[in-house]
Amino acid sequence: MLAVFFSVFVLTLSIAWGKVQPLIAFVLVSMLAALLLGMPIEAIPKAIEKGIGDLLGSLTVIICVGAVFGKLIADSGAAQRIAGYLISLFGQRRMPLALMITGFVAGIPLYYNVGFVLLVPLVFSLVYQTGRPAVALAIPLVCGLSIAHGFLPPHPSPTALAGQFGADIGRTLLLGIVVGIPTLLIAGPLFAMSLKNIKGVSSALFKAELKPEAELPGAFNSFATALLPVWLLGGFTVLILHPSDSAAVNRLVAFFANPLIIMLVALGAAVVTLGLARGRSLSSIMGGAGDALRDVAPILLVIAGAGALKQVLVETGVSAELGRSLASLPVPPLVLGWLIALVLRVCLGSATVAGLTAAGIVAPLVNGTGLDPSLMVLAVGAGSLMCSHVNDSGFWMFKEYMGLSLRDTFRSWTLMETLVGLFGLLFVMLLSIFV
């Protein structure tokens, strides 16, 4: 136990204070942990290689295809159309609700940073049109993006956590939506009502130009294509839970229910509906694929490093020992996973690193207690979003775009993320009673 906690402490120190690249930090700490736990020195490189390969092997293509899919949604103007349609549908009085739904819907295919940069200009345009405070309008939007990022596959963190815990991705998505919606209502528009007196001074550098209306795809096309992975994952999960009498049909359902196949089908559909059908050439449609893959590369490296540390813990037998020790603590397993992710989030800043590191520690609890692994994915995801502060890039993005003081950024952004983590755990615990 001391060896594991010391290794995690060194990992935290090297990333947060030493600014060591996370993959390198994970590999070095994995070697340190292996030596402290008595692993034969000649077995250490093979364990690290196996851990990286096993975790990345099932996730790399899903995450990369998801990145290209999200980039296509952004570049085509589909996300902008979704936002504009919802704002016109709800009207000015219910604008926070429209922005909340925009962030949640657009956040499913878009990675957080991409969605933020793409959609925040819409907030600025609404501020100029209505005179309403920017922060109170932006919080519901970024809350929706954050919840999608932390709870919903095919985002990298919940997808990787599902792999660590052996959770079904489709089931995790459905339960994530159940947890995410009430959490979003509380931490988004309800909380935003308390922020009307915060006045920011947004920089002109961040007021990106929006696409002309004539260049945007239709509303139905935008919604249907952006949410296609959700429809497919949800639909095939239901079919798996209610199998057919025909073995051939069940095999076909199992094939198409695979997240890799679903993401490839969604990408192919997006290429047609948002590209070829609108007169764009295939080369122009796929022009942003390289940028999308460059954006996702650092996330894949973090996942790879977490796989190395997990494998060392498994092969030394300490993973099972940790599971037995943690299970004996007078704390519910879901709360324990959330708490460990919270501590790592405060120390490290990165929600992805915090979640995956916590998963390596608490994964044995899932097998040892018979806990629903999808609920543990959501609990750890909620903990990894807690208490964002000055070591988190999202904190500084929100501060600079909104033109806020540090005090007002803590009052708005940090408190919003903390509410997401707290109520996310609360609704996961309530859901655990019924599933």
Side-chain angles (χ1 to χ4, degrees):
M1 292 283 284
L2 287 175
V4 172
F5 292 137
F6 178 72
S7 300
V8 172
F9 172 75
V10 173
L11 175 70
T12 302
L13 198 65
S14 60
I15 295 176
W17 178 75
K19 306 302 180 187
V20 179
Q21 201 281 333
L23 172 63
I24 297 173
F26 266 115
V27 170
L28 292 176
V29 168
S30 297
M31 296 174 68
L32 172 65
L35 291 171
L36 292 174
L37 294 168
M39 178 180 282
I41 192 168
E42 71 276 9
I44 294 175
K46 290 183 180 179
I48 291 174
E49 291 169 3
K50 182 179 186 334
I52 291 173
D54 286 354
L55 194 52
L56 282 184
S58 61
L59 298 177
T60 302
V61 180
I62 297 173
I63 292 173
C64 288
V65 173
V68 176
F69 175 75
K71 182 68 173 173
L72 181 52
I73 296 294
D75 290 347
S76 67
Q80 183 181 332
R81 170 63 77 186
I82 289 170
Y85 178 80
L86 288 171
I87 290 167
S88 65
L89 180 67
F90 280 82
Q92 286 197 18
R93 289 185 59 191
R94 299 181 181 86
M95 202 174 295
L97 285 175
L99 290 167
M100 176 195 79
I101 298 171
T102 297
F104 192 66
V105 172
I108 292 172
L110 298 179
Y111 290 154
Y112 179 85
N113 287 352
V114 175
F116 185 95
V117 173
L118 179 70
L119 295 174
V120 161
L122 291 168
V123 174
F124 294 145
S125 67
L126 293 173
V127 170
Y128 299 141
Q129 293 172 31
T130 64
R132 300 176 74 166
V135 174
L137 290 178
I139 281 292
L141 176 74
V142 298
C143 185
L145 289 172
S146 181
I147 286 175
H149 170 77
F151 291 171
L152 305 182
H155 279 273
S157 182
T159 302
L161 288 174
Q164 290 262 47
F165 295 134
D168 179 77
I169 289 181
R171 177 178 173 81
T172 302
L173 173 66
L174 294 177
L175 294 181
I177 291 173
V178 172
V179 169
I181 289 175
T183 302
L184 178 56
L185 284 168
I186 294 168
L190 285 179
F191 172 60
M193 293 173 66
S194 69
L195 305 175
K196 293 178 180 178
N197 293 329
I198 294 181
K199 306 294 183 184
V201 184
S202 55
S203 170
L205 294 174
F206 303 128
K207 298 183 180 76
E209 292 185 6
L210 303 176
K211 286 179 176 288
E213 189 78 11
E215 296 181 13
L216 301 179
F220 177 81
N221 186 5
S222 299
F223 275 99
T225 305
L227 293 177
L228 186 57
V230 177
W231 311 136
L232 293 176
L233 275 170
F236 282 113
T237 298
V238 171
L239 290 177
I240 288 174
L241 293 175
H242 300 86
S244 167
D245 294 333
S246 169
V249 171
N250 290 334
R251 286 196 297 270
L252 196 63
V253 168
F255 172 78
F256 282 105
N258 186 285
L260 169 60
I261 303 302
I262 284 174
M263 290 311 303
L264 287 172
V265 169
L267 177 60
V271 167
V272 174
T273 58
L274 298 177
L276 298 176
R278 301 181 63 232
R280 297 176 61 192
S281 66
L282 185 60
S283 60
S284 69
I285 296 169
M286 301 305 293
D291 291 337
L293 296 179
R294 280 191 292 273
D295 290 340
V296 81
I299 299 173
L300 288 173
L301 295 180
V302 170
I303 293 171
L309 181 58
K310 181 209 73 170
Q311 192 63 29
V312 166
L313 298 180
V314 169
E315 293 196 12
T316 57
V318 76
S319 184
E321 181 62 31
L322 273 173
R324 287 191 292 271
S325 300
L326 293 174
S328 65
L329 294 175
V331 179
L334 291 172
V335 176
L336 188 61
W338 174 87
L339 188 59
I340 293 172
L342 160 62
V343 172
L344 291 167
R345 162 69 155 175
V346 172
C347 296
L348 296 173
S350 167
T352 302
V353 177
L356 292 175
T357 306
I361 297 172
V362 301
L365 283 176
V366 176
N367 296 326
T369 61
L371 187 71
D372 187 325
S374 293
L375 293 180
M376 184 60 90
V377 171
L378 300 177
V380 170
S384 74
L385 295 175
M386 286 282 293
C387 301
S388 168
H389 61 99
V390 295
N391 61 358
D392 178 20
S393 62
F395 176 93
W396 293 105
M397 285 180 68
F398 190 81
K399 176 187 181 301
E400 296 303 319
Y401 271 73
M402 295 293 115
L404 299 176
S405 65
L406 277 173
R407 178 181 179 276
D408 284 340
T409 309
F410 280 114
R411 166 75 176 82
S412 55
W413 166 264
T414 301
L415 191 49
M416 180 273 291
E417 287 282 81
T418 301
L419 289 172
V420 167
L422 287 171
F423 283 96
L425 174 66
L426 173 63
F427 290 119
V428 168
M429 297 297 292
L430 290 174
L431 193 59
S432 68
I433 299 172
F434 303 101
V435 299

